[in-house]
Amino acid sequence: MSPTQPSLMAYYRDFAIAHFALAFGRLFPRLHVPPCDLSNKTAIITGANSGIGFEIALSLAQRGATVYLACRNGLKASSAVSQITAQVPSSTGRVQALSLDTSSLSSVRTFAQEWISRPEREIHLLFHNAGTCSSSDEAFTPDGFPPIYAANFLGSFLLTHLLEAHLAPAARIILTTSTAQYIGSFSPAFSLTTVQHRFEPGFHFPASSSSSSSSSAALPPTTTTTTTTTTTPAPSPEALYTNTKTMQTAFATLLQRRFDLEPRSGSQRRRLVHAFTPGFTQTSIFEKMAPRSAALDPICWVLKAMTGLATEVGQGAATGVWLATVGEGEGGWQDKGGAGEGRWEGKGVGGEGKGVVGGGYWDRMTRRVAKVEVMDPETVERFWVRWEADAGVVWR
């Protein structure tokens, strides 16, 4: 572990808090995002026709932002726009639907090309929210990648690259991840060249997972096994899902490092990247999962059975909205004792302080230690090279 990495004790603490919240999130105090004015700010939110993405879009529209719902299903996206404008009549004309399928690299490229052709194309807020946890009829996308990997992560990586030149100087990039990021596991020797039309253990899914189970060691391993890319039975959707969530937190860390190297003048604020978990919320995510018995997938089975205890969707979206609006360097939800008892501290957009910095993982407006922060740094650095290869770009 490098000197800059957090202690394993902090990791274990946050791991325990996160899983306590899965069962008792409704008992925690409600989160409140301070009001702010987002007039003249432009936001793109992928997967915004329902769930967390919809709630984020609604909150930003209420604050005056121009919001683009980038969605795969055009009818659902149009319906979401109608719902938002009905609730916020003043948002009519500044909330629009755009077509984007993050599981398709060609769709991502088309979206970026169309965006760049716009006269007003500066982006202040880019939310990577689209994703899935269920398998599709096809094992691989036309590009040759597992659909869950493509939709949850690779499309977001490529989209950010293609739109980077059009991000505002103080833009925020926010990724909706999951507590499942704690379960992701990778081989230190995963391929640095693209792997298509096959599953790679130790990259696409934890090497310890099999096609019949998505469970894997949730704590940092003490030993690591090198795996090779061979023809492998299809892993469970949940196993693929966990690794994409860990990749999202790794992307937040690595992209923030890139942004931190950009020259700035005077008091110019830098671009920030955040990953956050909505927690256990009442979205339709479990309804989309393929039915599996409790013996084969006990964790997901228990969570699906407990959806009545989940928090409301608006509360799940609150941290994402807060990360989009809180001033750089401000305080957060001051968690006393790690049980969610506390209050929000900060000044709103434009404030100055020493709390919120980019590149981290957030849960209930509190920075937590992510799995990627206790992984081997060299393994984390390898991600970027592999993502470039899979996306077919050079982004250095």
Side-chain angles (χ1 to χ4, degrees):
M1 184 171 68
S2 71
T4 59
Q5 284 182 292
S7 69
L8 286 179
M9 183 176 295
Y11 171 83
Y12 294 141
R13 177 203 65 200
D14 288 352
F15 176 88
I17 291 171
H19 288 78
F20 176 84
L22 291 179
F24 302 105
R26 279 198 164 213
L27 303 180
F28 285 26
R30 290 183 63 83
L31 299 173
H32 298 280
V33 182
C36 63
D37 183 8
L38 295 181
S39 300
N40 302 317
K41 303 293 184 183
T42 297
I44 297 175
I45 309 169
T46 67
N49 58 269
S50 64
I52 299 298
F54 176 86
E55 290 295 331
I56 291 173
L58 175 62
S59 294
L60 298 185
Q62 291 170 335
R63 290 165 169 78
T66 297
V67 184
Y68 292 90
L69 283 62
C71 307
R72 179 177 58 84
N73 188 311
L75 290 177
K76 290 183 178 180
S78 296
S79 175
V81 169
S82 298
Q83 293 176 57
I84 292 172
T85 54
Q87 295 183 57
V88 188
S90 63
S91 70
T92 301
R94 57 180 173 81
V95 178
Q96 301 179 36
L98 298 176
S99 177
L100 173 64
D101 179 358
T102 56
S103 70
S104 166
L105 298 186
S106 62
S107 176
V108 171
R109 293 189 180 96
T110 298
F111 177 92
Q113 291 170 356
E114 293 178 351
W115 182 269
I116 293 169
S117 68
R118 291 169 171 266
E120 298 294 332
R121 52 183 179 268
E122 187 174 54
I123 304 164
H124 302 91
L125 301 169
L126 177 57
F127 280 88
H128 291 301
N129 174 78
T132 181
C133 64
S134 61
S135 58
S136 63
D137 294 336
E138 300 295 331
F140 303 99
T141 67
D143 300 301
F145 303 110
I148 292 176
Y149 168 57
N152 291 10
F153 180 75
L154 188 60
S156 301
F157 177 83
L158 177 60
L159 182 62
T160 308
H161 168 64
L162 296 175
L163 296 180
E164 182 183 22
H166 306 287
L167 295 173
R172 307 283 175 92
I173 299 175
I174 301 170
L175 299 103
T176 305
T177 184
S178 165
T179 304
Q181 60 88 17
Y182 284 110
I183 305 177
S185 181
F186 300 85
S187 163
F190 59 74
S191 175
L192 294 181
T193 59
T194 188
V195 173
Q196 296 172 297
H197 299 290
R198 55 192 172 120
F199 298 98
E200 181 183 1
F203 181 78
H204 290 131
F205 66 99
S208 58
S209 297
S210 68
S211 59
S212 62
S213 173
S214 65
S215 62
S216 64
L219 303 180
T222 54
T223 60
T224 314
T225 302
T226 299
T227 58
T228 58
T229 54
T230 58
T231 302
T232 305
S236 71
E238 292 80 11
L240 293 163
Y241 177 81
T242 59
N243 272 23
T244 63
K245 294 295 142 178
T246 308
M247 287 185 205
Q248 288 177 320
T249 60
F251 184 45
T253 297
L254 295 173
L255 184 57
Q256 187 63 60
R257 291 178 190 172
R258 176 184 174 86
F259 287 161
D260 287 347
L261 294 176
E262 295 177 343
R264 289 187 296 159
S265 60
S267 60
Q268 181 183 6
R269 297 171 67 189
R270 67 177 179 271
R271 295 167 175 169
L272 295 177
V273 191
H274 303 294
F276 83 99
T277 175
F280 185 29
T281 55
Q282 295 174 343
T283 65
S284 60
I285 187 170
F286 293 107
E287 297 175 7
K288 299 175 182 177
M289 287 184 173
R292 299 171 67 83
S293 71
L296 293 179
D297 205 345
I299 295 177
C300 288
W301 188 88
V302 170
L303 290 176
K304 187 173 183 179
M306 293 173 59
T307 50
L309 300 177
T311 58
E312 61 191 75
V313 182
Q315 283 291 286
T319 298
V321 176
W322 174 75
L323 287 169
T325 56
V326 69
E328 177 183 344
E330 292 188 23
W333 181 265
Q334 303 303 305
D335 194 348
K336 299 179 179 178
E341 299 179 358
R343 67 185 186 280
W344 183 89
E345 292 184 357
K347 308 188 191 98
V349 172
E352 297 297 335
K354 297 182 179 179
V356 175
V357 294
Y361 166 73
W362 295 81
D363 186 356
R364 289 185 54 81
M365 299 183 184
T366 301
R367 176 101 178 226
R368 296 296 185 190
V369 179
K371 175 68 174 287
V372 70
E373 295 181 72
V374 293
M375 288 173 57
D376 173 25
E378 292 185 4
T379 301
V380 176
E381 292 289 342
R382 289 172 62 90
F383 279 133
W384 196 274
V385 179
R386 173 60 179 274
W387 296 336
E388 285 182 316
D390 284 348
V393 299
V394 176
W395 188 10
R396 302 292 171 89

